[in-house]
Amino acid sequence: MTELPLPQLQAPDSLMLYGFWYRALPSGELLPGVLQKATLLETPLVLGRDSQDRPFALHDACPHRGMPLSCGQFDGSEVECSYHGWRFDAHSGQCRLIPSLTADQHLKVERIYARSYACEERDGYVWVFIPEPKPAGAGFSKAAEPSFSAPEVPKFSGKYNLAYLTADMPVSVDHGIIGLMDPAHGPFVHQAWWWRSRHSIHEKQKNFEPIPNGFRMSAHTPSSNSAPYKLLRLYADADSITTTIDFVLPNQRFETIQAGKYWFASLTTVTPITRNHCRIDVVACWNIFRWMPFGASLLKFVFAKFVEQDRRTMDLQSEGLKHNPHLMLIDDADRPAKWYFALKAAHLEAKRTGAQMKHPMAGPVTLKWRS
C-alpha cells in the first residue's frame, strides 16, 4: 500500500484555480436595484441586477481611491461610488462620470474601468467568471469575455423539479473537494436507518475513465446497501439503475442516476472563498417521485441530511488541521483525490508553459475499496 504525503494542501499556488466559472450566490439573493457583496477566491465582488433583470459583477473597489462600490448607489444601469460620486457602467465597468472635473479639464473618463467580471445565471445560481488577477494599477481596459459558458445541471426531460442547498465549510477548497469525492467515508459519516449503517460495509469495485479536465466513475449499479436505491427500483419498476459520477476542474461534481424513464441529476461545487474557507453548493434536478405525494420533500430531506453530515465532519476536521498535521493518501480509496491534485498540477503547468494539458490518467482504471 502506497502512502503519499500531501504538501499540496499547504501550497498557495495549488489553492486557487483562475480562468473558471464559480458560483457566487443563489439567484433569489440578488434583487433588482440592490447591491450585494460576495467573495470568490479572496476576490471582493459587488453584484446586482440591472433594470432588465440581468446580473452583473464588479470588483468591489473604486479604481479612484479604493472605496468599496458596494457602499454606493445603483440606479439600474450605473454604480456610483459613495466617496466622490464616480459612476461606472454596471456590466462593462467603464467610467461614465467624474463629478469633480471642470469644463476645461479633458480627462478621458471612458478610458477608466472598474474591473468587471462575466456573469451568468444557471439553474437558480449566479455564476461569475474569475480570470487571472490583473497586475496592480491595471484599471484602463475592459475585461475579456470567457470562451465558454457557465456549467449547467444535465436534464433528460422537459418537466422536472429543482432543489438547492448551500453550506459553509471551515476548510480549504482542497479538503472540501477531496472530501466530496471520497468513497470510503459513507458508512461512518452518512449513517442513518433509512440509508446505511457501518455494519453494511463490503468490498466494492468501480471503473474510472479520463474525461477532459477530469475523470468519470463509469456507469454502474448503485450500492446495494442503500435503502433509497432499493425504493427507487420499486418505484421506477426498472430492470436496472445506473449511476455516473464526473469530476471536472476546478470544483464540479456531476452525478446522474437513471432508472428507466426516471432520472436524477445534480451539480455540486466547492468554491474557495478564502484560503481556509470554502462553500459547498448543490443543485439537484429530477423527475423521480415527481407525482408522488411528498416525493420532492423526501429528496430534499435526504440531500440536506447528507450536506449537513459533511459540514459537521469538516467542522471537526478543521480543529485537527489547525495544527498542520502530516497527511497522506492511500490506494485505492484515495486515488480520486490523487487524480484531483494531479489534474490541478497539470492544469497549472499547461498555463505556465502554454502547452496542451497532459492528463494524469493514461486510460481506464479499476479501483477497489471497502465501504
Side-chain angles (χ1 to χ4, degrees), residues 21 55 118-122 125-129 145-146 148-151:
W21 290 92
C119 197
E120 293 183 4
E121 281 190 86
R122 291 284 189 277
Y125 269 86
V126 176
W127 294 74
V128 176
F129 185 83
E145 290 296 318
F148 55 98
S149 297

Side-chain angles (χ1 to χ4, degrees), residues 252-318:
Q252 301 161 25
R253 181 188 185 273
F254 295 87
E255 181 169 3
T256 302
I257 302 172
Q258 293 183 299
K261 65 179 181 180
Y262 296 103
W263 57 270
F264 170 95
S266 67
L267 169 55
T268 303
T269 57
V270 182
T271 300
I273 306 303
T274 66
R275 296 187 181 277
N276 295 302
H277 174 205
C278 65
R279 189 187 66 244
I280 183 169
D281 295 306
V282 185
V283 174
C285 180
W286 69 89
N287 73 347
I288 298 170
F289 304 127
R290 193 166 178 271
W291 308 114
M292 179 180 176
F294 309 111
S297 298
L298 176 63
L299 283 172
K300 289 179 182 178
F301 170 80
V302 171
F303 235 46
K305 188 72 171 179
F306 264 61
V307 172
E308 174 56 22
Q309 288 170 333
D310 282 325
R311 187 204 61 77
R312 188 169 63 247
T313 298
M314 290 185 186
D315 264 340
L316 298 174
Q317 183 187 21
S318 68

Side-chain angles (χ1 to χ4, degrees), residues 1 15 26 44 46 57 96 132 134 166 225 228 236 257 260 297 334 339 355:
M1 184 175 293
L15 179 61
V46 55
R96 300 299 194 195
E132 291 285 348
K134 285 185 177 180
T166 294
N225 57 350
I257 302 172
S297 298
D334 289 331
W339 289 333

Side-chain angles (χ1 to χ4, degrees), residues 35 37 44-46 58-63 65-73 79-84 88:
L35 296 177
K37 297 173 66 172
L45 303 173
V46 55
L58 298 173
H59 194 78
D60 195 15
C62 179
R65 299 277 290 277
M67 173 66 71
L69 291 174
S70 57
C71 299
Q73 302 295 318
V79 177
E80 180 184 277
C81 178
S82 63
Y83 198 0
H84 297 92
F88 303 92

Side-chain angles (χ1 to χ4, degrees), residues 61-337:
C62 179
H64 177 213
R65 299 277 290 277
M67 173 66 71
L69 291 174
S70 57
C71 299
Q73 302 295 318
F74 177 54
D75 64 3
S77 63
E78 295 178 356
V79 177
E80 180 184 277
C81 178
S82 63
Y83 198 0
H84 297 92
W86 288 30
R87 296 177 67 88
F88 303 92
D89 181 271
H91 291 280
S92 68
Q94 186 177 43
C95 187
R96 300 299 194 195
L97 175 69
I98 297 180
S100 63
L101 292 177
T102 62
D104 61 341
Q105 293 173 336
H106 303 295
L107 176 66
K108 294 183 178 180
V109 299
E110 68 275 7
R111 295 179 58 190
I112 300 173
Y113 285 84
R115 191 175 192 193
S116 63
Y117 299 85
C119 197
E120 293 183 4
E121 281 190 86
R122 291 284 189 277
D123 299 318
Y125 269 86
V126 176
W127 294 74
V128 176
F129 185 83
I130 305 295
E132 291 285 348
K134 285 185 177 180
F140 297 95
S141 61
K142 186 177 180 180
E145 290 296 318
S147 59
F148 55 98
S149 297
E152 188 172 359
V153 180
K155 303 173 184 71
F156 302 95
S157 63
K159 295 182 178 180
Y160 50 82
N161 292 329
L162 280 170
Y164 315 92
L165 290 169
T166 294
D168 287 314
M169 307 285 187
V171 294
S172 74
V173 66
D174 287 329
H175 281 296
I177 288 176
I178 65 174
L180 186 70
M181 63 178 60
D182 174 14
H185 73 282
F188 305 96
V189 173
H190 299 301
Q191 294 181 43
W193 67 265
W194 44 266
W195 184 253
R196 67 179 62 166
S197 75
R198 63 190 302 164
H199 303 297
S200 65
I201 294 176
H202 63 279
E203 185 172 309
K204 298 179 181 178
Q205 177 175 302
K206 298 290 189 294
N207 298 319
F208 292 79
E209 57 190 289
I211 59 175
N213 284 328
F215 55 87
R216 169 174 296 157
M217 183 186 291
S218 307
H220 60 280
T221 302
S223 176
S224 60
N225 57 350
S226 298
Y229 290 127
K230 298 175 183 177
L231 176 62
L232 172 58
R233 179 172 293 179
L234 290 173
Y235 173 81
D237 192 24
D239 294 333
S240 64
I241 302 175
T242 59
T243 298
T244 303
I245 299 174
D246 290 355
F247 174 79
V248 182
L249 286 179
N251 62 346
Q252 301 161 25
R253 181 188 185 273
F254 295 87
E255 181 169 3
T256 302
I257 302 172
Q258 293 183 299
K261 65 179 181 180
Y262 296 103
W263 57 270
F264 170 95
S266 67
L267 169 55
T268 303
T269 57
V270 182
T271 300
I273 306 303
T274 66
R275 296 187 181 277
N276 295 302
H277 174 205
C278 65
R279 189 187 66 244
I280 183 169
D281 295 306
V282 185
V283 174
C285 180
W286 69 89
N287 73 347
I288 298 170
F289 304 127
R290 193 166 178 271
W291 308 114
M292 179 180 176
F294 309 111
S297 298
L298 176 63
L299 283 172
K300 289 179 182 178
F301 170 80
V302 171
F303 235 46
K305 188 72 171 179
F306 264 61
V307 172
E308 174 56 22
Q309 288 170 333
D310 282 325
R311 187 204 61 77
R312 188 169 63 247
T313 298
M314 290 185 186
D315 264 340
L316 298 174
Q317 183 187 21
S318 68
E319 291 298 313
L321 293 173
K322 289 179 181 177
H323 307 288
N324 195 27
H326 170 77
L327 304 172
M328 64 183 68
L329 296 177
I330 63 171
D331 285 332
D332 278 2
D334 289 331
R335 188 80 67 85

